[in-house]
Amino acid sequence: ASLLRAADETMAAVEVAEGSALDGLAVGAVDATVVAVRDAEGAVTPLPSRSRSLAAGETLYVVARPEAIRRLEAAGRPA
């Protein structure tokens, strides 16, 4: 646990809103490590393919620096 507290990166869940910059984006284009995607029905895909397209209503589970997570959260909001 102490190693996690000292790490520069953290984990977060980011929702993809309809019409957001993330809607339709490929996982590989996300500026964070995507460790899982939960679709709108609740099914979880661990370690999704980099070519997988994101869709509104999905939740990304990412590992990144806090500033990258803030940018990703902003990109997940409607335009």
Side-chain angles (χ1 to χ4, degrees):
S2 64
L3 290 175
L4 290 175
R5 285 188 200 99
D8 290 336
E9 295 181 327
T10 189
M11 186 170 190
V14 178
E15 293 188 28
V16 179
E18 187 172 341
S20 73
L22 297 179
D23 192 4
L25 192 67
V27 167
V30 173
D31 187 25
T33 301
V34 179
V35 295
V37 176
R38 183 181 58 180
D39 66 24
E41 290 76 39
V44 176
T45 303
L47 303 174
S49 165
R50 293 179 50 80
S51 62
R52 183 191 189 282
S53 292
L54 301 173
E58 294 185 324
T59 302
L60 307 178
Y61 295 89
V62 300
V63 175
R65 292 181 173 271
E67 59 272 10
I69 290 172
R70 285 190 290 276
R71 286 192 302 272
L72 194 56
E73 289 170 336
R77 294 187 200 110

